[in-house]
């Protein structure tokens, strides 16, 4: 047999797992068994004799890559047949080797579950007998922070979420080449999320507000002052318990000291009133945490989050980081490697290590964010893919390539940018246009150029709310500021709304509202055009791909378009209110209700079949809350001119002239509902 002769894989091809009873590899094998079943229509045959595919650890003569997690494929002649050996340097090497086989032999898409894309059914697979060696990933520790994951939490009835929710998350991460995860945000320790992630072979790391993965102080000791100065023994007790609980697992330990609720600790402990005092305590606590870990864990992998005020103190020279600890630098939530905005404060301090900064560095990066201002929680990253590529490759170039943690949110709305991040942590660089072409080609069978242009034009349609390249708005821009506008208005406040200054400036409230109105109205035509193009493209797709494009893109376009219209409507309503034109203000407020309801309907349409109830826990952007606010506004406006019997506007604008002067008060008809009245008034007044 010639070495280059291809091998044939069928439903009857046997597998021989020579890896013992390893739990993570057993999880990976169950993925492969399911994939084999999906492709060939039957369960795979496990056998120690006549197996066509061998799975085993590397031996010296294999020439397998030497780095951690390395794997290779070797084709070995066995008499008259060729046998495929999937060989791993270590546990994750075996897992990645199996998943390489799944993707490039069985044809399983890494996001198959989230994109609802089953592999093609086959009778036989002809596989060229070409050996393969994995390449070392650019980033050593790479993965997702499953953060603000309310859709995942609310998707199923069980709380905390079960394996049914978490396994597809961790599987997709492994298929993307990730090896590290923060499995959720402040979930009950009774949940399966941490154990399942470890059982699937992932390194576990921690939220920067939960150093060492310890329980929050105020949850463990309610009623006590969360002050390390007053209760060092209680803090250290929590850290020691966390170390004991995790010391046998693969952990990237996070050293940190922030206040309860993820804020600077000195907000609860005002005696630390200088940068020197604050930096001194943080440095002491971090050294203490590090020494406690080293007592229990041999050669621990440790990191320290250079987040917010900690980055500023470090750059000012007030914080010392123990040698060997990976310093983690964070973007601002909008993809730019600068300090994040806090309310109206936006210093944009560069958040990357200096050239002379020694030691290991890494990045915490958001492709989704939640900040009660302009972030993207239910929708894609609002800026271009090129921004992500530029920022991360720049970070790698200055040495921040030991660690990359990507905020993955609820996974489903963010497949495109998560795929882009996976390319970057694997190769260190990528061509954004080529990556998009590849991504679209994997998910769709036709209309590739049209769909690619939709994705490219998406970021061009987002609202530009500031002077910087990353000042582009996600869908929360139409909801949190809108609710603030409605609240300030109905509370009868004067002056300006300080909460809106970050986007509208320190101007009289009417001018702030006008600024939001202009931004929203200017964006509407772009979203309308993008929506129409997306609908036209969907008509050219098979039914399953049409649904995929709806769930992956059109639902997000409709959330943006409905939000833009709703925000513009409520701002117009306020302007008419100031003029005393209450009927027309009422009509505009009604349109705000209807516009926001369109966004809710789009989410409901996406939340069917596999995704039934996926969006019912929309508690952060919270479309229901915005609809309720807008409905309250229009009720308020109706009271201005239609009270007390809610019949005056009907009589003034709608009732025929012949009836106005002869109807009897004791026989007049039932008052119209707000929706009915608004529609009738609009026909007359517009």
């Amino acid at each position: 047999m010639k070495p280059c002769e291809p091998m044939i894989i069928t439903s009857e091809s046997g597998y021989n797992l020579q890896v013992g009873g390893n739990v993570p590899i057993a999880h990976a094998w169950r993925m492969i068994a399911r994939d084999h079943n999906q492709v060939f229509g039957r369960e795979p045959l496990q056998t120690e004799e006549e197996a066509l595919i061998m799975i085993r650890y590397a031996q010296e003569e294999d020439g397998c890559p030497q780095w951690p997690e390395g794997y290779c494929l070797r084709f070995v002649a066995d008499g008259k047949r060729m046998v495929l050996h999937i060989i791993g340097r270590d546990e994750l090497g075996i897992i990645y080797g199996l998943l390489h086989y799944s993707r490039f032999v069985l044809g399983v898409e890494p996001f198959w579950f989230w994109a609802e894309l089953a592999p093609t059914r086959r009778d036989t697979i002809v596989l060229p007998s070409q050996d393969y060696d994995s390449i070392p990933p650019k980033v050593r520790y790479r993965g997702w922070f499953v953060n603000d994951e309310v859709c995942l939490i609310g998707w199923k009835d069980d709380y905390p979420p079960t394996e049914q929710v978490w396994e597809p998350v961790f599987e997709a991460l492994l298929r993307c080449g990730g090896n590290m995860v923060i499995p959720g945000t402040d979930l009950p320790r009774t949940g399966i999320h941490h154990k399942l992630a470890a059982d699937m072979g992932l390194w576990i790391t921690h939220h920067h507000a939960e150093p060492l993965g310890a329980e929050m102080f105020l949850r463990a000791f309610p009623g006590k002052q969360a002050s390390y100065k007053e209760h060092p023994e209680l803090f250290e007790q929590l850290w020691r318990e966390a170390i004991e609980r995790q010391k046998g697992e693969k952990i990237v330990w996070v050293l940190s000291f922030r206040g309860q609720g993820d804020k600077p600790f000195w907000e609860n402990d005002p005696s630390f009133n200088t940068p020197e005092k604050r930096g001194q305590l943080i440095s002491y606590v971090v050294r203490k945490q590090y020494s406690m870990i080293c007592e229990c864990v041999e050669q621990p992998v440790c990191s320290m989050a250079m987040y917010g005020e900690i980055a500023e103190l470090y750059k000012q020279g007030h914080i010392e980081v123990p040698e060997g600890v990976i310093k983690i630098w964070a973007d601002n939530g909008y993809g730019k490697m600068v300090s994040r905005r806090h309310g109206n404060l936006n210093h944009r301090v560069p958040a990357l290590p200096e050239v002379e900064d020694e030691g290991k560095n890494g990045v915490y990066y958001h492709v989704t964010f939640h900040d009660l201002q302009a972030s993207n929680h239910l929708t894609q990253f609002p800026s271009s893919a090129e921004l992500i590529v530029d920022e991360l490759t720049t970070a790698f170039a200055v040495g921040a390539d030991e660690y990359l943690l990507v905020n993955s949110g609820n996974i489903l709305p963010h497949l495109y940018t998560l795929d882009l991040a996976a390319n970057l942590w694997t190769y260190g660089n990528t061509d954004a246009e080529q990556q998009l072409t590849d991504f679209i080609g994997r998910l769709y069978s036709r209309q590739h150029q049209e769909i690619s242009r939709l994705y490219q034009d998406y970021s061009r349609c987002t609202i530009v709310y500031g002077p910087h390249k990353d000042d582009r708005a996600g869908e929360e821009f139409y909801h949190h500021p809108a609710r603030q506008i409605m609240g300030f208005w109905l509370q009868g406040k004067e002056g300006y709304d300080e909460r809106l200054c970050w986007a509208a400036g320190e101007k009289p409230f009417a001018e702030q509202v006008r600024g939001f109105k202009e931004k929203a109205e200017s964006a509407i035509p772009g979203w309308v055009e993008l929506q129409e193009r997306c609908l036209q493209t969907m008509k050219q797709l098979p039914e399953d791909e049409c649904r995929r494009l709806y769930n992956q893109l059109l639902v997000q376009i409709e959330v943006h378009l409905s939000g833009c219209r709703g925000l513009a409507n409520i701002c117009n309503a306020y302007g008419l209110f100031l003029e005393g034109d209450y009927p027309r203000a009422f009509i505009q407020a009604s349109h705000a209700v209807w516009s926001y309801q369109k966004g809710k309907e789009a989410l409901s349409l996406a939340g069917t079949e596999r995704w039934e109830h996926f969006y019912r826990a929309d508690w952060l952007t919270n479309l229901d809350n915005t609809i309720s606010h807008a409905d309250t506004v229009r009720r308020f406006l109706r009271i201005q001119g239609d009270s007390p019997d809610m019949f005056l506007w009907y009589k003034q604008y709608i009732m025929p002239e012949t009836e106005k002067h002869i109807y009897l008060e004791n026989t007049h008809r039932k008052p119209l509902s707000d929706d009915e009245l608004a529609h009738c008034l609009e026909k007359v007044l517009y």
Side-chain angles (χ1 to χ4, degrees):
M1 177 179 291
K2 296 180 181 179
C4 61
E5 186 173 331
M7 66 181 293
I8 307 297
I9 299 176
T10 70
S11 62
E12 298 179 356
S13 298
Y15 296 80
N16 185 356
L17 274 72
Q18 299 182 338
V19 289
N22 182 286
V23 172
I25 294 176
H27 266 280
W29 166 248
R30 286 196 287 273
M31 297 180 211
I32 303 304
R34 183 198 57 224
D35 298 345
H36 181 102
N37 194 352
Q38 286 185 306
V39 171
F40 293 115
R42 61 171 287 181
E43 294 291 330
L45 173 65
Q46 273 192 261
T47 178
E48 295 183 5
E49 299 179 2
E50 301 297 319
L52 197 66
I53 298 130
M54 307 281 289
I55 298 102
R56 62 180 176 83
Y57 287 108
Q59 299 171 0
E60 191 65 35
E61 61 270 18
D62 293 324
C64 190
Q66 296 292 316
W67 47 83
E69 305 169 0
Y71 66 90
C72 64
L73 273 57
R74 295 288 183 261
F75 291 85
V76 179
D78 182 10
K80 294 183 178 180
R81 66 194 189 117
M82 195 70 75
V83 176
L84 169 61
H85 290 241
I86 300 174
I87 303 169
R89 175 62 55 188
D90 51 25
E91 177 182 278
L92 273 171
I94 294 282
I95 293 171
Y96 292 141
L98 287 168
L99 295 177
H100 179 95
Y101 169 82
S102 170
R103 179 173 183 178
F104 295 104
V105 178
L106 298 179
V108 179
E109 156 65 29
F111 290 113
W112 72 271
F113 177 89
W114 301 95
E116 297 183 87
L117 181 59
T120 304
R121 290 293 294 266
R122 310 276 287 275
D123 293 323
T124 61
I125 295 175
V126 179
L127 181 63
S129 301
Q130 296 176 348
D131 290 349
Y132 175 82
D133 288 324
S134 66
I135 63 170
K138 174 65 176 177
V139 179
R140 174 65 183 95
Y141 301 102
R142 53 202 183 276
W144 295 344
F145 179 10
V146 188
N147 186 29
D148 300 323
E149 69 280 17
V150 290
C151 293
L152 296 177
I153 289 171
W155 182 18
K156 308 296 180 182
D157 292 334
D158 295 311
Y159 181 81
T162 65
E163 186 171 356
Q164 184 183 10
V165 171
W166 286 113
E167 188 164 14
V169 174
F170 302 149
E171 178 179 333
L173 174 56
L174 286 166
R175 287 181 181 273
C176 287
N179 65 0
M180 175 180 68
V181 70
I182 302 179
T185 312
D186 196 28
L187 292 171
R189 299 191 183 280
T190 56
I192 196 175
H193 46 286
H194 181 109
K195 182 179 185 302
L196 181 61
D199 283 349
M200 291 180 71
L202 291 163
W203 289 77
I204 309 294
T205 191
H206 312 121
H207 191 296
H208 56 256
E210 299 174 302
L212 283 61
E215 190 168 5
M216 288 279 192
F217 183 92
L218 289 180
R219 184 168 285 121
F221 306 109
K224 290 189 177 293
Q225 177 71 13
S227 166
Y228 184 79
K229 184 174 66 174
E230 292 186 25
H231 302 294
E233 73 289 350
L234 297 182
F235 277 95
E236 290 168 20
Q237 174 187 325
L238 294 176
W239 300 337
R240 190 169 292 108
E241 290 170 355
I243 294 168
E244 283 296 318
R245 186 176 65 248
Q246 302 169 90
K247 66 182 182 181
E249 300 175 355
K250 295 189 300 188
I251 303 293
V252 179
W253 301 92
V254 170
L255 316 176
S256 184
F257 190 63
R258 299 199 83 209
Q260 304 295 289
D262 196 14
K263 59 187 178 183
F265 71 86
W266 51 85
E267 291 187 14
N268 299 107
D269 205 342
S271 64
F272 290 89
N273 53 9
T274 68
E276 291 79 7
K277 291 179 182 178
R278 296 164 180 174
Q280 186 178 24
L281 180 62
I282 292 171
S283 299
Y284 175 83
V285 167
V286 165
R287 285 195 304 271
K288 182 66 176 180
Q289 292 170 349
Y290 185 63
S291 66
M292 290 172 69
I293 295 170
C294 291
E295 289 173 6
C296 300
V297 180
E298 187 177 349
Q299 295 183 324
V301 180
C302 294
S303 66
M304 181 174 174
M306 298 287 107
Y307 194 74
E309 72 283 352
I310 294 180
E312 295 174 18
L313 290 169
Y314 176 78
K315 290 211 167 193
Q316 293 165 4
H318 300 305
I319 290 179
E320 295 179 1
V321 179
E323 186 176 355
V325 172
I326 308 166
K327 297 182 290 295
I328 310 303
W329 304 86
D331 75 304
N332 63 347
Y334 295 83
K336 190 70 178 174
M337 294 302 299
V338 296
S339 58
R340 65 170 289 189
R341 181 173 57 238
H342 290 276
N344 296 317
L345 295 176
N346 193 14
H347 297 306
R348 295 180 67 88
V349 177
L352 282 174
E354 304 291 346
V355 175
E356 65 276 10
D357 195 317
E358 298 180 355
K360 297 177 179 179
N361 291 276
V363 172
Y364 169 41
Y365 197 82
H366 295 79
V367 299
T368 173
F369 192 43
H370 168 63
D371 71 346
L372 309 176
Q373 291 185 329
S375 45
N376 66 305
H377 172 66
L378 298 174
T379 59
Q380 288 183 49
F381 188 73
S383 294
S384 70
E386 284 77 11
L387 176 66
I388 297 174
V389 173
D390 289 347
E391 291 300 300
L392 288 181
T393 53
T394 298
F396 296 159
V398 297
D401 60 357
E402 182 72 8
Y403 171 115
L404 175 56
L405 184 70
V406 178
N407 192 311
S408 60
N410 293 294
I411 315 299
L412 180 62
H414 311 295
L415 301 190
Y416 167 44
T417 42
L418 291 175
D419 187 72
L420 177 63
N423 271 263
L424 288 162
W425 72 36
T426 301
Y427 304 110
N429 203 342
T430 191
D431 180 281
E433 186 172 348
Q434 183 57 49
Q435 180 268 338
L436 175 59
T437 298
D438 173 69
F439 177 76
I440 298 303
R442 285 154 38 202
L443 268 58
Y444 301 95
S445 63
R446 60 191 76 169
Q447 302 296 110
H448 294 159
Q449 290 186 347
E450 290 79 2
I451 298 172
S452 292
R453 282 197 291 269
L454 291 172
Y455 272 83
Q456 290 170 331
D457 290 342
Y458 176 96
S459 64
R460 297 173 188 145
C461 292
T462 55
I463 285 177
V464 177
Y465 63 83
H468 306 104
K469 188 177 180 180
D470 53 296
D471 288 340
R472 285 186 172 271
E475 89 288 340
E476 293 200 341
F477 186 85
Y478 319 121
H479 295 275
H480 293 285
R483 297 198 293 264
Q484 289 165 350
I485 287 170
M486 290 184 272
F488 193 92
W489 168 10
L490 265 59
Q491 291 165 21
K493 294 182 178 180
E494 298 180 353
Y496 65 91
D497 190 339
E498 186 176 355
R499 300 167 301 176
L500 302 176
C501 292
W502 62 273
E506 193 173 316
K507 303 172 183 176
F509 180 62
E511 292 185 33
Q512 289 181 316
V513 173
R514 190 178 306 116
F516 276 96
K517 170 193 167 185
E518 291 170 354
K519 290 180 176 68
E521 287 183 339
S522 66
I524 290 172
W527 290 118
V528 169
E529 193 265 346
L530 198 65
Q531 179 195 48
E532 291 173 351
R533 282 168 47 201
C534 194
L535 288 167
Q536 289 300 315
T537 301
M538 287 168 61
K539 292 178 181 179
Q540 311 302 316
L541 296 174
E543 183 178 350
D544 61 329
E545 296 183 14
C546 179
R547 175 169 170 76
R548 183 173 305 126
L549 188 56
Y550 181 88
N551 285 347
Q552 287 298 306
L553 189 62
L554 182 57
V555 64
Q556 301 190 27
I557 294 171
E558 292 188 341
V559 167
H560 273 284
L561 175 56
S562 61
C564 266
R565 285 173 166 162
L567 178 57
N569 293 144
I570 213 68
C571 292
N572 278 319
Y574 180 71
L576 290 164
F577 167 78
L578 292 181
E579 296 171 8
D581 192 343
Y582 302 130
R584 286 184 175 83
F586 171 80
I587 293 169
Q588 287 295 320
S590 295
H591 272 285
V593 172
W594 302 334
S595 294
Y596 286 124
Q597 285 175 338
K598 285 287 186 183
K600 182 71 176 180
E601 290 165 9
L603 292 178
S604 297
L605 185 57
T608 57
E609 298 181 13
R610 174 177 291 181
W611 308 118
E612 184 178 6
H613 302 315
F614 189 81
Y615 292 105
R616 68 175 166 182
D618 166 33
W619 303 322
L620 300 187
T621 299
N622 207 332
L623 274 69
D624 283 336
N625 191 1
T626 312
I627 293 167
S628 176
H629 270 69
D631 190 46
T632 300
V633 166
R634 72 168 172 176
R635 290 170 184 269
F636 165 80
L637 289 166
R638 188 169 181 180
I639 286 174
Q640 304 308 305
D642 207 27
S643 177
D645 298 318
M646 302 306 185
F647 191 68
L648 297 178
W649 283 349
Y650 179 84
K651 179 182 177 182
Q652 181 177 356
Y653 297 107
I654 300 167
M655 180 180 284
E657 285 293 327
T658 55
E659 296 290 321
K660 285 182 180 180
H661 307 292
I662 61 173
Y663 85 99
L664 299 176
E665 288 286 348
N666 63 336
T667 60
H668 75 236
R669 65 200 69 178
K670 176 184 176 183
L672 297 177
S673 70
D674 290 339
D675 282 340
E676 292 170 325
L677 179 61
H679 284 301
C680 290
L681 286 175
E682 187 167 30
K683 291 177 182 178
V684 176
L685 298 179
Y686 283 93

